[in-house]
């Protein structure tokens, strides 16, 4: 429908409505005429909300770092990330994971997978996650923003219906020319209804609905993000605890080494340089241990803040009693065992579900989509401002100078009629609003594209991290094993007087470095697994229940 045709049709129907609304007898009720006019005029409506077009931005159907297939998908399988904008559908061939549960979000009507961290089988982590959403300030703040957006949607939807008021007034006046001084009373019920001929009200409703849905997706993204952040912080705390235990047991080994060296020095077997080297190694390792203790305590404070508690209110039951136990060391070989590696849980296997379709359910991408729709609806509102709004008004009531007989048939008064307001000159204000809305739409599209790109980068980064960290773990495990054997040989040579104590120090440092690196790699594997779980098991439509 062209603009010219829209305009002529609207004028023709308006004239017909006025003819129908003209009373044929004094018994015609005003609100009956109002409804006739409303139905006649409201039957014609057009929309200036533009249709979103595909801008040609395509994303592949397979991740670059995924090892599920080495063949490149054909061009026909490439999917556009920007078109069409609609509610997400079920991903084709999405794998199911028995370790994941789903819960129904009653407000959003969507299935939200939760509790991927339960695969780690850590009761303390599960307890923290159970408290998280009820106490996290960021999630609670976004919840209030969702309520604000939903209230705005209700206000916009209310504009689709007529407004009805009840007015009561009493006034005293005098007209020296004709009317004597006196008091008049009135009781009326005015009604007003903007007929959505140009689709302005409908566009405003679309705008509010898109913003409300975007805020709901923002809340879903915030929940998933803080849940993943809690897992990340908890794993970092476990890694720090493992480092603390490893360094604590190493300090115990070095204390034994220093005592033995001092005894050999008193016996005249070694020089004072060996004693100085042993003491230097001990003190530097103690400093590293104290630094790791500092890091662990600060991470505990961060966990408390995440769950909405002050640090003094969070008591983590961490077993650190073996941190410096001499039972965990072998004084004969001057080495520590691998108990520190047991501080971290095993990295669970990740199902091969990392396909492009999974991205359709990420809350951040869905929120960006809804903001594109909102910007598009705002452009429709700006376009409709060039046409006059059609408002149908009606009023019925009573008016008289005698309050006792106010409500009676002779005192009835009513009116009904449409009104049009066409701005003739505004100094370019409406054109500027239209250009601003168009720019905001372009910006929303670019922001949506950036969100998709960031999502791909984040998943690709953790895919390659999962692959390379697995190789690094194997290398550092071999290095730690070799360093252990080397320390045993060097220690025996030192006791036989073949090598200086500096060789022992070097071998001990190499073993400690390999063990710390192995622990670090394992913690990074868990963090990569956590990020992949966060990015792939996200919001799904109602009815898409995971088994």
């Amino acid at each position: 429908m062209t603009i010219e045709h829209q305009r002529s049709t609207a004028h023709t129907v308006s004239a017909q409505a006025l003819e129908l609304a003209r009373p044929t007898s004094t018994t015609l009720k005003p609100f009956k005429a109002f409804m006739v006019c409303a139905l006649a005029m409201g039957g014609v409506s057009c929309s200036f909300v533009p249709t979103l077009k595909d801008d040609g931005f395509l994303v592949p159907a397979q991740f670059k770092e995924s090892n599920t297939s080495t063949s490149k998908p054909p061009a026909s399988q490439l999917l556009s990330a920007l078109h069409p904008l609609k509610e997400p559908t079920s991903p084709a061939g999405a794998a199911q994971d028995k370790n994941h549960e789903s819960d129904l979000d009653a407000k959003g009507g969507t299935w939200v997978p939760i509790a991927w961290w339960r695969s780690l089988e850590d009761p303390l982590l599960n307890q923290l996650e159970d408290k998280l959403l009820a106490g996290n300030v960021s999630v609670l703040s976004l919840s209030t923003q969702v309520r604000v957006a939903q209230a705005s949607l209700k206000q916009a939807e209310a504009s689709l219906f007529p407004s009805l008021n009840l007015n009561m007034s009493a006034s005293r006046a005098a007209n020296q020319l004709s009317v004597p001084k006196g008091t008049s009373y009135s009781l009326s019920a005015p009604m007003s209804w903007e007929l959505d001929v140009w689709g302005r009200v409908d566009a405003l409703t679309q705008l509010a609905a898109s913003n409300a849905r975007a805020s709901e997706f923002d809340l879903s993204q915030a929940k998933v993000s803080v849940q993943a952040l809690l897992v990340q912080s908890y794993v970092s705390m476990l890694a720090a605890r493992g480092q603390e235990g490893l360094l604590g047991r190493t300090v115990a080994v070095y204390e034994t080494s220093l005592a033995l060296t001092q005894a050999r020095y008193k016996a005249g077997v070694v020089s004072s340089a060996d004693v100085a080297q042993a003491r230097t190694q001990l003190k530097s390792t103690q400093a590293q241990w104290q630094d790791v203790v500092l890091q662990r305590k600060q991470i505990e404070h961060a966990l408390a803040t995440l769950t909405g508690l002050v640090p003094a209110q969070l008591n983590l039951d961490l077993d650190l009693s073996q941190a410096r136990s001499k039972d965990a060391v072998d004084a004969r070989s001057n080495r520590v065992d691998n108990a520190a590696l047991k501080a971290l849980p095993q990295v669970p296997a990740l199902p091969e579900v990392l396909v492009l379709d999974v991205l359709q359910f990420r809350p951040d991408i869905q929120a960006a989509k809804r903001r594109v729709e909102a910007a598009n609806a705002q452009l429709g509102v700006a376009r409709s401002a060039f046409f006059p709004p059609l408002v149908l008004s009606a009023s019925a009531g009573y008016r008289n100078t005698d309050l006792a007989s106010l409500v009676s048939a002779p005192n009835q008064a009513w009116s009904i009629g449409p009104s049009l307001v066409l701005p003739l000159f505004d100094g370019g204000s409406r054109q500027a609003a239209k250009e601003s809305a168009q720019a905001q739409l372009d910006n929303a599209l670019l922001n949506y594209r950036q969100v998709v790109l960031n999502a791909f980068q984040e998943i690709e980064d953790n895919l390659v991290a999962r692959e390379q960290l697995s190789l690094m773990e194997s290398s550092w495990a071999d290095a730690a094993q070799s360093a252990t054997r080397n320390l045993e040989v060097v220690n025996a040579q030192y006791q036989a007087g073949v090598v200086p104590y500096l060789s022992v120090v070097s071998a001990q440092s190499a073993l400690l470095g390999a063990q710390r690196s192995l622990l670090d790699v394992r913690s990074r594997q868990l963090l990569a697994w956590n990020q992949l779980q966060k990015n792939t098991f996200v919001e799904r439509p109602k009815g898409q229940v995971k088994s």
Side-chain angles (χ1 to χ4, degrees):
M1 180 182 291
T2 63
I3 299 300
E4 290 77 7
H5 181 63
Q6 294 168 356
R7 187 181 307 166
S8 62
T9 303
H11 288 175
T12 302
V13 175
S14 298
Q16 294 172 352
L18 290 175
E19 184 67 25
L20 290 173
R22 186 176 296 117
T24 57
S25 68
T26 58
T27 60
L28 182 62
K29 301 299 182 182
F31 289 107
K32 180 179 179 180
F34 179 88
M35 295 306 300
V36 171
C37 292
L39 292 175
M41 296 182 180
V44 175
S45 177
C46 58
S47 176
F48 290 96
V49 178
T51 301
L52 288 169
K53 297 181 180 179
D54 193 343
D55 67 347
F57 175 66
L58 301 176
V59 290
Q62 179 178 315
F63 293 107
K64 176 182 178 181
E65 303 297 341
S66 176
N67 55 9
T68 56
S69 174
T70 56
S71 60
K72 183 178 180 180
S76 59
Q77 295 182 10
L78 298 180
L79 303 177
S80 170
L82 288 176
H83 185 75
L85 290 178
K86 58 183 180 181
E87 289 295 328
T89 56
S90 174
Q96 306 298 324
D97 181 13
K98 64 180 180 179
N99 293 324
H100 289 75
E101 303 174 0
S102 295
D103 188 21
L104 180 62
D105 183 354
K107 293 184 178 180
T110 54
W111 288 97
V112 183
I114 60 172
W116 71 85
W117 54 86
R118 296 190 184 275
S119 301
L120 300 178
E121 299 179 353
D122 191 312
L124 181 55
L125 174 60
N126 295 338
Q127 293 176 12
L128 292 174
E129 289 285 0
D130 292 340
K131 299 177 182 178
L132 177 64
L133 298 183
N136 185 266
V137 177
S138 298
V139 171
L140 295 178
S141 176
L142 282 176
S143 299
T144 61
Q145 295 182 22
V146 171
R147 290 161 51 196
V148 171
Q150 291 173 344
S152 298
L153 174 58
K154 292 179 180 179
Q155 288 180 332
E157 291 175 340
S159 301
L160 296 172
F161 302 93
S163 62
L164 177 63
N165 301 313
L166 179 63
N167 295 344
M168 294 177 288
S169 65
S171 61
R172 184 173 179 82
N175 189 328
Q176 296 180 354
L177 298 178
S178 59
V179 180
K181 180 186 299 184
T183 303
S184 62
Y185 305 93
S186 67
L187 176 65
S188 63
M191 179 181 290
S192 177
W193 192 2
E194 179 179 349
L195 302 179
D196 198 18
V197 177
W198 313 115
R200 188 186 75 88
V201 178
D202 182 65
L204 287 172
T205 304
Q206 293 181 36
L207 172 62
S210 297
N211 285 331
R213 193 67 179 125
S215 66
E216 293 172 1
F217 280 117
D218 287 339
L219 178 59
S220 298
Q221 177 66 20
K223 290 179 179 179
V224 174
S225 296
V226 296
Q227 287 170 337
L229 181 58
L230 179 60
V231 176
Q232 176 180 341
S233 300
Y234 188 80
V235 169
S236 298
M237 184 193 65
L238 292 181
R241 184 183 70 169
Q243 297 279 3
E244 182 180 349
L246 175 61
L247 289 169
R249 288 185 289 272
T250 303
V251 166
V253 169
Y254 292 169
E255 287 175 344
T256 302
S257 297
L258 177 59
L260 292 174
T261 304
Q262 288 174 335
R264 290 167 66 88
Y265 170 71
K266 292 179 180 180
V269 179
V270 298
S271 67
S272 59
D274 290 352
V275 177
Q277 290 172 351
R279 182 176 290 106
T280 300
Q281 186 181 42
L282 171 62
K283 295 303 180 181
S284 62
T285 307
Q286 283 179 336
Q288 296 177 42
W289 175 67
Q290 293 161 355
D291 182 61
V292 170
V293 172
L294 170 63
Q295 295 177 21
R296 177 180 62 81
K297 290 183 176 294
Q298 290 179 337
I299 295 174
E300 291 179 14
H301 301 165
L303 286 173
T305 302
L306 272 177
T307 54
L309 302 173
V310 296
Q313 294 176 316
L314 182 64
N315 183 21
L316 298 177
D317 185 15
L318 298 176
D319 183 13
L320 299 176
S321 59
Q322 298 297 321
R324 297 190 61 184
S325 173
K326 290 182 171 58
D327 296 335
V329 305
D330 187 349
R332 294 173 299 174
S333 59
N334 281 2
R335 65 181 178 85
V336 299
D337 61 9
N338 60 353
L341 300 180
K342 300 178 182 178
L344 291 174
Q346 293 295 322
V347 181
L350 185 70
E352 295 296 340
V353 295
L354 301 174
V355 294
L356 172 65
D357 291 338
V358 177
L359 285 180
Q360 297 179 2
F361 304 100
R362 283 178 56 119
D364 55 346
I365 293 180
Q366 291 302 316
K369 281 185 178 181
R370 299 307 173 267
R371 289 190 170 88
V372 171
E373 293 176 341
N376 194 52
Q378 183 62 50
L379 179 57
V381 174
R383 288 181 173 183
S384 65
F386 287 89
F387 298 89
L390 177 60
V391 179
L392 186 61
S393 301
S395 178
Y398 302 89
R399 183 179 302 131
N400 194 19
T401 57
D402 185 8
L403 181 60
S405 60
L406 176 63
V407 182
S408 58
N411 299 326
Q412 286 184 353
W414 64 271
S415 64
I416 184 173
S419 64
L420 288 172
V421 179
L422 178 61
L424 299 179
F425 179 76
D426 61 2
S429 175
R430 287 173 296 167
Q431 180 63 30
K434 176 184 174 182
E435 293 175 357
S436 175
Q438 181 63 60
Q440 292 177 15
L441 174 59
D442 295 340
N443 182 69
L445 286 168
L446 292 175
N447 179 71
Y448 176 42
R449 179 186 298 190
Q450 188 62 53
V451 170
V452 174
L453 292 174
N454 291 342
F456 266 79
Q457 179 185 352
E458 189 174 20
I459 293 180
E460 297 282 14
D461 287 348
N462 288 286
L463 278 174
V464 71
R466 183 185 64 168
E467 181 72 19
Q468 296 303 315
L469 288 173
S470 178
L471 299 176
M472 290 172 61
E473 180 188 13
S474 178
S475 298
W476 278 117
D478 292 341
Q481 186 176 2
S482 299
T484 299
R485 291 196 299 266
N486 179 62
L487 177 58
E488 292 174 351
V489 171
V490 171
N491 189 62
Q493 291 176 342
Y494 172 72
Q495 292 177 356
V498 179
V499 297
Y501 188 75
L502 183 61
S503 298
V504 178
V505 172
S506 177
Q508 289 175 333
S509 299
L511 176 58
L512 177 60
Q515 289 177 324
R516 294 193 68 182
S517 297
L518 180 57
L519 183 59
D520 179 67
V521 167
R522 288 193 178 180
S523 67
R524 291 171 62 188
Q525 281 183 295
L526 283 170
L527 295 179
W529 169 84
N530 176 57
Q531 289 299 314
L532 285 174
Q533 296 286 46
K534 167 203 166 187
N535 294 325
T536 55
F537 294 96
V538 288
E539 192 173 42
R540 293 181 182 273
K542 182 178 180 180
Q544 181 71 17
V545 187
K546 304 185 73 178
S547 59

